[in-house]
Amino acid sequence: MEPHDKDEVKGPVLHIVVVGFHHKKGCQVEFSYPPLIPAEGHDSNNLPEEWKYLPFLALPDGAHNYQEDTVYFHLPPLNLSDNKCVYAVSCYRQIEAKTLKVRQADVTRETVQKSVCVLSQVPLYGLLQAKLQLITHAYFEEKDFSQISILKELYEHMNGSLRGSTLEGSQVYLGLSPRDLILHFRHKVLILFKLILLEKKVLFYVSPVNRLVGALMTVLSLFPGMIEHGLAESSHYRPKSSVSEDLSLVDCVSCAEEFVSVSVTDIANATMELVGEPGEGLAQQDDLTLAQDGDNHHLKPPSHASPDSSESDWETLDPSVLEEGGSKDTANGREVRPEHPETFDPEPGIPITVQPQSAGQGAVAQGLVSGLEEDQYGLPLAIFTKGYLCLPYMALQQHHLLSDVTVRGFVAGATNILFRQQRHLSDAVVDVEEARISIQDPELRKLLSLTTADLRFADYLVKHVTENREDVFLDGTGWEGGDEWIRAQFGLYVHSLLSSALQEDNERWLADYGIPFISAWKISHNYRVWYSNKHPAMAEITPGHPFQGQYSVADVKLRLSHSVQNSERGKKIGNAVITTSRSVVQTGKAVGQSVGGALTSAKFAMSSWFSTLAQPPVSASPVESNLSEDKP
């Protein structure tokens, strides 16, 4: 209890940090209050080893292309006993060096680039950003960066105003708008939601950083309780230089469990006997861009029989493990060769890592502890635990984390194109600018194919968001179609999904969510932890999809529209139809003009001819008579 009391006295804000760009040293810490290393001064450039990436996160890659930007990022705890993620918000600005009142000797470029960063114990991203932007603006308006008193005042003010504040209410979601997310991604938001439920490796990509972190964190805000209590272990990783070559140090995700590497092909084979709902095959190719990148392969890291080993134990999962009681034969008849993790195939097809499975046991162990503060329904789900990372922004220096064997998955954001180009390191790449989700594995695409009930749910959200725009001054403030309403709908979706997953004998309820998806989700870490504990409040939740029901003509139209508008093939057909229509219209106009012109001329000629015939004969003038008489 003493450390907790100490934190209450100090307040939720740990440090105020200024990061600048040095023309020789690159990004570096220029000021910190209190000092990042207590034994050193406020102007020390040294950092704790765990926070060595802080300068590159606070001053993002490509920042020189923008006058200002905002970054959300996560740092690992300085000691594992603390076990709490450090939430950071950074406000970046650049100004012309000639405008400075006091120009220091190390300012050699035409512009000065700096970030003011807040390191906090509470995930109040939007609230911290609002306060920090004002102070950053005032700090730069001083035109003298040696004036640090305003930063010390910021530290005291934030701790005073945030001390004792609860992580409840709208202040947690300040700046995160699900309404804007649905307007941009439309029904694909539900695909992103399911991707994270399956604990896949998801990479968001866009510039500038404020758009990136805004989209990523807004998706996470759709999970009940996730922002408030679900990210405490989301940044438990080791910097590259601190990882010893001795595998005995790799203990971040070990404990007394084993991790299993399984291809989604196995999941599909295990569930192919189950009959899905009719008509859904039409949309299996929807929404997701297929990237052909070689064949599927399984990771085959070393397996260690000793449960006391501090190394991460891995094994290849046989498809039969997905069937009840089938995992007993997993280790039989299979020869596992010990290998060093660094000798893995440098281009592994599409490894899908899923979550801790007890050695040699198919049943879920009872009483698995998530380590999170849960509500009566067991939420938030333990997604960002046991090596599954949430990194709203990743610096290029953190690239190794994408292939780190101690990282079983991630939801990460990046602005550097090198992350996007190496698609084999991610299961899905989300292009925020284009609202496009690119997935390598066709089997994973099938797992994420939206069912008819899912399409109804997504269409319901889209209609309420797009049609509720009568008053621009009150836009987004009403209940239906508003941000809180959207989160409530996803909360209902999750509660119904959990309740339905418990009804193993009712295939109809499971089919409404997608039987292949349910099968894959049930072997994920977050479901296994939730299922291993009792949640009496779930008895109040009615099982079944919120939008279950009989098929109708409207469903056929909805699926057809969904397929044509969002699949790559449908987009090509749509573009071809539009192009053809334009050509026909233009050709019709040209033909109409030529034919119409000819008809007009003919009509005028006929009219003139008829009018001539109708006129009475005119007597010749004397001159004409004389001329006619002179003719021979």
Side-chain angles (χ1 to χ4, degrees):
M1 293 298 294
E2 291 183 0
H4 179 73
D5 295 338
K6 184 178 179 181
D7 290 341
E8 286 295 320
V9 173
K10 291 174 58 179
V13 175
L14 300 175
H15 301 276
I16 303 294
V17 181
V18 176
V19 176
F21 183 82
H22 192 275
H23 65 285
K24 291 183 178 179
K25 301 177 182 179
C27 298
Q28 65 176 9
V29 172
E30 297 179 345
F31 169 82
S32 59
Y33 182 82
L36 294 176
I37 300 179
E40 301 187 11
H42 299 298
D43 57 351
S44 174
N45 303 132
N46 297 326
L47 290 164
E49 180 66 19
E50 293 83 356
W51 293 353
K52 61 180 295 184
Y53 301 127
L54 189 156
F56 310 103
L57 295 167
L59 201 60
D61 184 38
H64 60 278
N65 295 320
Y66 303 94
Q67 292 298 316
E68 56 184 322
D69 204 353
T70 303
V71 188
Y72 302 161
F73 61 94
H74 294 163
L75 293 173
L78 290 181
N79 52 76
L80 293 180
S81 61
D82 187 19
N83 205 34
K84 291 182 180 179
C85 170
V86 176
Y87 310 96
V89 177
S90 174
C91 287
Y92 159 82
R93 285 195 67 185
Q94 69 170 334
I95 60 173
E96 296 182 353
K98 63 182 180 181
T99 63
L100 294 177
K101 296 178 180 178
V102 178
R103 182 165 180 167
Q104 300 175 351
D106 59 350
V107 178
T108 60
R109 297 193 172 194
E110 296 181 355
T111 59
V112 178
Q113 303 168 7
K114 293 184 186 294
S115 289
V116 180
C117 181
V118 174
L119 306 185
S120 172
Q121 292 179 311
V122 292
L124 299 174
Y125 304 97
L127 186 60
L128 293 174
Q129 176 185 346
K131 294 176 178 291
L132 186 58
Q133 282 180 332
L134 295 175
I135 299 301
T136 302
H137 179 75
Y139 180 57
F140 273 76
E141 286 300 314
E142 291 283 344
K143 302 294 192 299
D144 181 4
F145 295 118
S146 64
Q147 301 297 322
I148 58 175
S149 59
I150 189 174
L151 301 178
K152 295 181 179 180
E153 293 175 3
L154 172 64
Y155 174 81
E156 301 296 341
H157 168 72
M158 281 192 167
N159 276 324
S161 61
L162 298 178
R163 183 180 292 117
S165 61
T166 58
L167 293 176
E168 304 293 342
S170 59
Q171 64 177 1
V172 176
Y173 303 113
L174 183 63
L176 305 178
S177 175
R179 182 183 178 88
D180 293 339
L181 186 74
I182 290 179
L183 285 173
H184 187 58
F185 280 92
R186 302 180 73 83
H187 64 277
K188 296 178 186 177
V189 171
L190 187 54
I191 296 176
L192 292 175
F193 192 83
K194 284 190 165 186
L195 260 174
I196 298 174
L197 276 176
L198 294 180
E199 298 176 351
K200 299 306 179 185
K201 299 180 179 180
V202 185
L203 180 69
F204 285 72
Y205 176 85
V206 76
S207 292
V209 182
N210 65 80
R211 291 189 60 195
L212 174 73
V213 298
L216 189 151
M217 297 308 298
T218 302
V219 173
L220 298 187
S221 73
L222 301 177
F223 291 83
M226 185 62 70
I227 299 293
E228 299 96 317
H229 308 293
L231 302 177
E233 299 181 21
S234 64
S235 62
H236 287 192
Y237 63 85
R238 292 177 180 269
K240 189 173 184 180
S241 61
S242 65
V243 177
S244 172
E245 294 297 331
D246 184 2
L247 290 181
S248 63
L249 294 180
V250 185
D251 56 359
C252 295
V253 293
S254 55
C255 297
E257 300 170 328
E258 286 188 352
F259 285 89
V260 180
S261 180
V262 55
S263 169
V264 290
T265 306
D266 296 337
I267 298 170
N269 292 337
T271 59
M272 64 184 299
E273 299 177 359
L274 299 175
V275 180
E277 57 183 297
E280 290 182 5
L282 184 62
Q284 288 181 353
Q285 304 299 324
D286 294 355
D287 305 306
L288 312 176
T289 303
L290 178 60
Q292 300 292 344
D293 190 17
D295 298 328
N296 297 339
H297 301 284
H298 297 254
L299 279 178
K300 297 181 180 179
S303 177
H304 302 275
S306 174
D308 299 329
S309 172
S310 61
E311 302 176 21
S312 295
D313 294 337
W314 302 70
E315 64 179 358
T316 303
L317 179 66
D318 187 89
S320 61
V321 77
L322 300 177
E323 301 174 0
E324 185 175 357
S327 63
K328 296 180 180 180
D329 299 329
T330 302
N332 298 332
R334 182 184 298 270
E335 180 181 356
V336 180
R337 296 180 300 166
E339 297 178 357
H340 193 285
E342 293 182 359
T343 64
F344 295 167
D345 184 357
E347 294 184 358
I350 306 146
I352 309 298
T353 305
V354 296
Q355 301 15 134
Q357 171 136 325
S358 301
Q361 299 294 328
V364 177
Q366 294 299 315
L368 295 178
V369 180
S370 68
L372 305 176
E373 184 179 339
E374 300 176 349
D375 64 8
Q376 58 184 340
Y377 303 103
L379 301 175
L381 294 172
I383 296 176
F384 296 100
T385 59
K386 299 294 183 182
Y388 191 80
L389 305 182
C390 174
L391 304 174
Y393 173 70
M394 284 187 70
L396 188 59
Q397 288 76 8
Q398 295 176 298
H399 184 270
H400 68 281
L401 293 176
L402 300 185
S403 55
D404 194 330
V405 294
T406 66
V407 175
R408 64 185 179 91
F410 53 81
V411 177
T415 58
N416 194 300
I417 196 168
L418 293 178
F419 286 93
R420 183 180 180 182
Q421 290 175 341
Q422 297 188 337
R423 295 177 180 271
H424 65 282
L425 297 178
S426 305
D427 295 320
V429 177
V430 182
D431 188 330
V432 178
E433 180 69 32
E434 302 293 333
R436 183 173 63 248
I437 307 172
S438 301
I439 290 185
Q440 296 174 323
D441 191 352
E443 296 299 333
L444 180 55
R445 288 162 54 88
K446 292 179 181 179
L447 291 183
L448 298 170
S449 177
L450 298 182
T451 65
T452 297
D454 281 342
L455 284 176
R456 292 171 183 165
F457 173 66
D459 188 61
Y460 178 73
L461 296 177
V462 172
K463 284 184 176 179
H464 275 73
V465 169
T466 55
E467 294 177 359
N468 186 23
R469 285 185 168 272
E470 298 178 357
D471 192 334
V472 294
F473 296 102
L474 299 178
D475 182 32
T477 60
W479 168 244
E480 286 197 10
D483 292 337
E484 294 299 324
W485 179 84
I486 294 171
R487 293 191 185 95
Q489 303 309 309
F490 274 94
L492 174 62
Y493 185 91
V494 170
H495 286 102
S496 301
L497 173 62
L498 291 169
S499 180
S500 301
L502 297 175
Q503 314 298 322
E504 298 181 359
D505 56 339
N506 195 315
E507 188 176 309
R508 177 67 263 175
W509 286 343
L510 301 181
D512 282 333
Y513 294 97
I515 292 179
F517 167 78
I518 293 292
S519 300
W521 180 48
K522 283 188 174 182
I523 63 172
S524 69
H525 174 63
N526 69 82
Y527 180 82
R528 291 171 62 83
V529 171
W530 181 85
Y531 182 75
S532 69
N533 295 277
K534 295 181 179 180
H535 308 289
M538 288 301 300
E540 305 172 2
I541 306 299
T542 303
H545 199 290
F547 286 80
Q548 61 183 338
Q550 297 296 326
Y551 299 110
S552 64
V553 177
D555 294 324
V556 177
K557 292 180 179 180
L558 179 60
R559 182 164 294 281
L560 182 61
S561 173
H562 167 79
S563 302
V564 172
Q565 293 179 7
N566 299 284
S567 66
E568 289 301 309
R569 183 169 50 188
K571 288 180 180 178
K572 291 179 180 179
I573 295 175
N575 292 334
V577 170
I578 293 175
T579 304
T580 304
S581 300
R582 289 175 179 172
S583 300
V584 169
V585 171
Q586 293 175 356
T587 304
K589 287 182 178 180
V591 172
Q593 289 176 355
S594 58
V595 174
L599 291 176
T600 302
S601 301
K603 182 179 179 181
F604 178 76
M606 293 295 293
S607 299
S608 301
W609 184 65
F610 279 113
S611 61
T612 303
L613 292 178
Q615 290 178 356
V618 179
S619 57
S621 63
V623 176
E624 290 177 346
S625 301
N626 294 336
L627 289 175
S628 60
E629 292 177 355
D630 292 341
K631 291 181 179 179

